[in-house]
């Protein structure tokens, strides 16, 4: 088991510097354009694929880093470049994590490569869980999956929303209800292969931030997928549902559903994204405070500005430490006994919102214009306290874990 350390090894430093260079040289120069266009930045994704960043091999190497720091380090550097473009580059990862968390070895080997494509023909994937009436309240999910035993097919019907890459993805991973009586415990995840009839893109959302990332509804109308597209297989699902029914009758312990397994695995990574955005805004504000003069001196000479920067840096470092701790715990198999994963996501998300707002304040009127990137960073930061579990949901998870009580 890898010991927890704050020192990156030489290989990690090399990867970090490589990613930082790509973020500085390729992502940042394109950030404003794709934010304005509100379109998927396919040329940037292709450049990432050409150098090996957008690939299964790269993410596998980071995912299996024995220290657990590979993924959060990568997320921080890419999102330091720009959150919208970075999310377009890494958005496929949530679907891939869904397959890794719930799929068989054969499913992992079959579907994850198809999510990425190659440098000459890049593809993306989408993880579809939220619904118009079921976001944080996953128990209210309405999308149904019914098994057609005669054909060994699952039939999916429903509407998903807030799906990154929804409708434009080569592979969709869809969470659906297979046993309505079990609530959130009666969910399962399904692969919807490319060009499957009945799947279509609904509304594409025009967003406040992360505009370079495609977000849309996914409509499923009598979508038929083969039995082998049920992640984990039917035998495993039947066993899990049977245990859930027994525990429901006896009032026993809760069983994690497929969507929550994916979110738990990805929350520290989302925290790292938030750290990257916060760090980017802090660095812009620090540089501005050093060079902007008022009343004959740099504004950083004023305690009101200097103390804000001190707080910003302290909060960013604290957020990174929480993310690294949770990532190390997840990789080394240590249970989140105090909801450390949710802690990391909560604190980093709130820090990103606060730090980007402070950066605008330090830049004054300039910070409020699109001539400086902190305005965009502040818009982007708003998403971190919302997606993959709102800050309120993170607090609920933490409070329930600490108290052992069904707090509502």
């Amino acid at each position: 088991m890898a010991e927890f350390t704050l020192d990156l090894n030489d290989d990690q430093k090399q990867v970090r510097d490589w990613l930082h260079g790509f973020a500085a040289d390729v992502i940042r120069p394109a950030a404003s354009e794709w934010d304005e266009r509100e379109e998927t930045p396919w040329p940037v994704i292709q450049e990432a694929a050409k150098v090996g960043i957008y690939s299964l091999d790269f993410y596998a190497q980071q995912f299996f880093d024995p220290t657990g720091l590979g993924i959060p380090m990568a997320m921080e550097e890419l999102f330091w470049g720009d959150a919208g473009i970075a999310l377009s580059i890494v958005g496929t990862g949530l679907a891939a994590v869904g397959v890794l968390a719930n799929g068989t070895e054969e499913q992992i080997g079959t579907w994850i490569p198809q999510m990425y494509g190659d440098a000459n023909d890049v593809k993306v994937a989408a993880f579809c869980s939220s619904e118009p009436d079921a976001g944080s309240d996953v128990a209210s999910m309405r999308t149904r999956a019914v098994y057609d035993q005669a054909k060994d097919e699952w039939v999916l019907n429903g509407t998903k929303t807030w799906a990154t890459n929804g409708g434009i993805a080569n592979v969709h991973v869809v969470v659906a209800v297979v046993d309505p009586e079990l609530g959130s415990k009666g969910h399962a995840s399904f692969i919807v292969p490319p060009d499957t009839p009945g799947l279509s893109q609904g509304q594409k959302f025009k967003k406040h931030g992360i505009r370079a990332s495609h977000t849309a509804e996914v409509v499923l109308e009598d979508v038929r997928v083969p039995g082998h597209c049920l992640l984990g297989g039917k035998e495993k699902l039947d066993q899990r549902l049977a245990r859930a029914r027994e525990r429901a009758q006896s009032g026993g312990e809760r069983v994690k559903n497929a969507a929550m397994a994916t979110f738990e695995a990805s929350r520290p990574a989302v925290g790292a994204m938030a750290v990257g955005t916060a760090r980017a805004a802090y660095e812009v504000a620090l540089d501005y405070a050093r060079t902007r003069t008022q009343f004959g001196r740099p504004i950083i000479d004023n305690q009101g500005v200097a103390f804000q920067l001190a707080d910003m840096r302290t909060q960013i470092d604290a957020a990174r430490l929480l993310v690294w701790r949770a990532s190390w715990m997840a990789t080394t198999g240590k249970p989140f006994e105090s909801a450390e994963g949710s802690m990391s996501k909560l604190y980093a998300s709130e820090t990103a919102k606060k730090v980007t707002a402070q950066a605008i304040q330090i830049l004054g009127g300039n910070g409020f214009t699109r001539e400086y990137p902190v305005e965009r960073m502040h818009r982007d930061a708003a998403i971190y306290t919302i997606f993959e579990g709102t800050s309120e949901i993170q607090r609920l998870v933490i409070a329930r874990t600490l108290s052992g009580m069904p707090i509502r």
Side-chain angles (χ1 to χ4, degrees):
M1 180 182 295
E3 294 297 325
F4 181 69
T5 176
L6 300 179
D7 293 324
L8 298 179
N9 59 43
D10 290 341
D11 289 341
Q12 290 170 326
K13 290 177 181 177
Q14 184 175 8
V15 171
R16 179 198 61 191
D17 294 344
W18 171 53
L19 290 170
H20 186 80
F22 183 84
D25 298 338
V26 180
I27 294 179
R28 277 208 171 175
S32 179
E33 175 189 351
W34 292 100
D35 177 71
E36 293 286 348
R37 292 176 63 168
E38 299 191 52
E39 297 175 359
T40 300
W42 291 108
V44 183
I45 298 175
Q46 188 168 31
E47 285 300 311
K50 286 180 179 178
V51 300
I53 293 174
Y54 187 76
S55 70
L56 172 60
D57 288 344
F58 172 73
Y59 288 106
Q61 290 174 11
Q62 304 316 308
F63 186 82
F64 292 111
D65 182 333
T67 69
L69 301 185
I71 289 293
M73 180 185 64
M75 295 300 106
E76 179 177 339
E77 293 305 328
L78 292 173
F79 280 73
W80 173 89
D82 176 68
I85 291 178
L87 190 56
S88 288
I89 293 173
V90 308
T92 293
L94 186 57
V97 168
V99 175
L100 284 169
N102 303 296
T104 64
E105 289 186 8
E106 182 179 356
Q107 290 169 330
I108 292 170
T110 298
W111 296 111
I112 294 183
Q114 295 187 46
M115 294 179 174
Y116 288 96
D118 57 47
N120 296 318
D121 185 21
V122 294
K123 305 292 186 182
V124 295
F127 182 76
C128 308
S129 177
S130 294
E131 298 183 2
D133 296 319
S136 298
D137 182 13
V138 294
S140 296
M141 189 177 293
R142 295 180 180 178
T143 297
R144 296 288 187 266
V146 178
Y147 185 56
D148 184 341
Q149 187 170 1
K151 296 183 178 181
D152 185 26
E153 292 179 339
W154 289 90
V155 184
L156 280 63
N157 282 282
T159 299
K160 295 297 182 178
T161 193
W162 309 124
T164 299
N165 298 329
I168 66 171
N170 193 49
V171 176
H172 290 76
V173 177
V174 177
V175 181
V177 178
V178 294
D179 189 333
E181 295 182 358
L182 292 176
S184 62
K185 304 175 188 67
H187 296 176
S189 291
F190 299 84
I191 292 286
V192 180
D195 303 317
T196 299
L199 184 148
S200 61
Q201 179 183 308
Q203 175 188 5
K204 178 187 175 182
F205 296 103
K206 296 181 72 67
K207 304 187 299 295
H208 175 67
I210 55 167
R211 294 176 178 177
S213 174
H214 176 97
T215 309
E217 291 181 331
V218 174
V219 181
L220 304 132
E221 297 178 309
D222 292 328
V223 173
R224 286 183 169 268
V225 299
H228 61 76
C229 287
L230 166 64
L231 289 181
K234 194 168 188 306
E235 181 179 354
K236 183 178 178 181
L237 172 65
D238 289 342
Q239 293 173 354
R240 179 168 63 81
L241 295 178
R243 291 195 303 269
R245 293 187 191 103
E246 292 175 3
R247 286 169 177 145
Q249 293 174 356
S250 63
E253 64 186 49
R254 300 172 61 197
V255 181
K256 292 185 176 69
N257 63 65
M260 293 311 296
T262 300
F263 289 140
E264 285 186 12
S266 63
R267 277 172 179 159
V270 176
M273 298 174 188
V275 171
T277 300
R279 189 184 113 209
Y282 159 77
E283 290 177 1
V284 172
L286 177 62
D287 182 66
Y288 185 89
R290 285 171 169 166
T291 57
R292 172 69 168 174
T293 59
Q294 289 285 285
F295 305 106
R297 61 181 183 176
I299 62 172
I300 199 171
D301 280 357
N302 299 300
Q303 286 187 359
V305 173
F307 285 7
Q308 281 194 75
L309 289 164
D311 287 343
M312 291 159 73
R313 177 58 186 268
T314 300
Q315 291 158 4
I316 291 167
D317 281 14
R320 183 184 298 108
L321 289 173
L322 285 171
V323 167
W324 282 18
R325 180 184 68 168
S327 300
W328 172 77
M329 290 177 68
T331 297
T332 55
K334 292 185 178 295
F336 288 164
E337 294 180 350
S338 299
E340 287 87 351
S342 289
M343 283 184 183
S344 69
K345 199 266 185 184
L346 170 65
Y347 189 79
S349 297
E350 295 291 345
T351 293
K353 283 186 66 174
K354 184 175 181 180
V355 165
T356 54
Q358 288 175 302
I360 290 176
Q361 191 69 25
I362 289 172
L363 269 68
N366 286 328
F368 199 66
T369 71
R370 294 189 183 182
E371 295 299 315
Y372 288 81
V374 292
E375 174 271 340
R376 184 181 68 250
M377 293 168 183
H378 184 53
R379 286 189 285 106
D380 291 342
I383 194 60
Y384 298 127
T385 62
I386 298 172
F387 73 172
E388 293 198 49
T390 64
S391 286
E392 290 74 20
I393 289 296
Q394 305 308 322
R395 292 185 176 99
L396 188 64
V397 171
I398 296 166
R400 285 176 174 174
T401 304
L402 297 177
S403 67
M405 300 295 290
I407 298 169
R408 296 184 182 275

